[in-house]
Amino acid sequence: MYNLLKGKKGIIFGALNEQSIAWKTAKACFDEGAELVLTNAPIALRMGEINNLSKECNNAPVIPADVVNMDDLKKLFEQSMQHFGGGIDFILHSIGMSLNVRKGKAYTEIDYNFNQKTLDISAMSLHRVLRTAWDMDALNEGASVVALTYIAAQRVFPDYNEMADAKALLESVTRSFGYYYGKRKKIRVNTVSQSPTKTTAGSGVKGFDGFMNYAEKMSPLGNATGEDCAKYCTLLFSDYAKMVTMQNLFHDGGFSFTGVTQEIIEQMEK
């Protein structure tokens, strides 16, 4: 370890279980010297697994917060700042949920009430987090915020459904709020567009295993693992990336810029 985050304090949203990128990122940040607060929706916390992560991170506080509830978010930041004895240096937003996908509704027949909830939870939640921190001046000078996204925000992957729209909105919020935060306190806001990864949420997408195999063959370096993504997020939280902001950063083994590979051609010719 390199102590990249020694002395830094951060909030990790969305650690559900050991498969979660947020879980792996929390451990990577802790290993690099950070102090943490862990948070998730109350219903997710009732599953109890996050308490194991807390123990592995020096008994990091676990604070429940519904990301579409401004009062919850205000309490989260108040309690986090009280625990840290000051402001916050980094935030990971690893939150996504699609009611239409859960209900098996195709993109051409989405329920618009479900869709509104999907956009609110998966994208506008980032705006709410950033807005709450903005109003409370909770982020320190030069802080870093990272939200996890996926290339379906730019390209069509039919089974990704309405989550593609949510990720496009998430990336737009990142750019827009990133401008204001940069001007205000040189705070960075970026998204990381990760390879398909076997998390609880990712595995719920129809045909996930087949697409993961396809992405592996389409990526010169192969699919990036959750552990690799955690390390990349840790780097973005560090001072080594202090001039990177408002970017959508592809962490996908080269998938995003590969037209076709020999492996795919050979498979098509069989």
Side-chain angles (χ1 to χ4, degrees):
M1 300 303 154
Y2 306 98
N3 282 323
L4 288 178
L5 302 183
K6 186 177 182 180
K8 293 190 182 293
K9 301 167 175 60
I11 301 176
I12 303 291
F13 284 83
L16 181 64
N17 54 38
E18 289 184 346
Q19 288 183 306
S20 305
I21 292 175
W23 186 293
K24 298 177 192 299
T25 303
K27 291 189 66 175
C29 290
F30 178 75
D31 288 344
E32 290 295 344
E35 294 181 52
L36 301 174
V37 163
L38 307 173
T39 184
N40 211 327
I43 190 170
L45 294 183
R46 284 198 288 272
M47 297 174 69
E49 291 190 51
I50 198 172
N51 293 323
N52 296 329
L53 176 61
S54 169
K55 291 175 185 175
E56 294 180 29
C57 297
N58 196 30
N59 294 315
V62 178
I63 302 173
D66 183 341
V67 288
V68 299
N69 185 310
M70 296 296 281
D71 289 335
D72 273 14
L73 290 174
K74 184 178 180 183
K75 290 176 184 175
L76 169 65
F77 278 102
E78 286 175 344
Q79 292 178 31
S80 297
M81 293 170 74
Q82 183 177 9
H83 171 71
F84 291 141
I88 294 150
D89 299 301
F90 63 90
I91 293 173
L92 177 74
H93 178 283
S94 180
I95 301 165
M97 189 278 295
S98 168
L99 284 172
N100 279 296
V101 170
R102 283 187 180 182
K103 301 294 184 180
K105 291 186 174 294
Y107 187 77
T108 52
E109 59 176 25
I110 61 174
D111 179 300
Y112 294 112
N113 289 323
F114 288 168
N115 182 248
Q116 186 175 6
K117 291 177 181 177
T118 295
L119 296 178
D120 205 16
I121 293 169
S122 303
M124 290 308 294
S125 60
L126 177 63
H127 195 288
R128 292 173 186 270
V129 168
L130 293 172
R131 161 80 183 277
T132 303
W134 178 276
D135 291 345
M136 298 175 67
D137 195 22
L139 295 179
N140 290 330
E141 182 94 8
S144 176
V145 179
V146 171
L148 298 182
T149 186
Y150 184 56
I151 194 175
Q154 291 85 32
R155 301 184 188 179
V156 177
F157 296 92
D159 291 329
Y160 204 65
N161 208 310
E162 64 177 347
M163 278 302 296
D165 299 340
K167 292 301 189 184
L169 178 55
L170 179 79
E171 292 173 19
S172 181
V173 169
T174 297
R175 289 187 294 271
S176 297
F177 234 131
Y179 169 81
Y180 291 103
Y181 264 118
K183 297 292 286 185
R184 189 186 208 185
K185 292 177 75 173
K186 298 191 182 303
I187 292 167
R188 301 160 277 146
V189 188
N190 295 289
T191 49
V192 169
S193 188
Q194 166 69 358
S195 294
T197 309
K198 259 194 175 173
T199 62
T200 300
S203 299
V205 176
K206 182 180 175 183
F208 179 81
D209 287 340
F211 180 68
M212 194 166 180
N213 292 334
Y214 169 76
E216 177 75 21
K217 292 179 179 179
M218 273 288 289
S219 308
L221 298 180
N223 289 332
T225 67
E227 288 82 3
D228 288 330
C229 186
K231 292 175 184 176
Y232 190 47
C233 291
T234 301
L235 173 67
L236 292 172
F237 293 145
S238 79
D239 293 339
Y240 282 98
K242 68 178 184 179
M243 297 303 289
V244 181
T245 194
M246 301 163 62
Q247 302 299 308
N248 179 47
L249 301 161
F250 289 103
H251 186 260
D252 60 6
F255 177 90
S256 49
F257 286 92
T258 302
V260 71
T261 62
Q262 189 63 35
E263 290 90 340
I264 295 295
I265 292 172
E266 290 173 357
Q267 185 171 324
M268 295 284 286
E269 290 177 341
K270 287 181 181 179

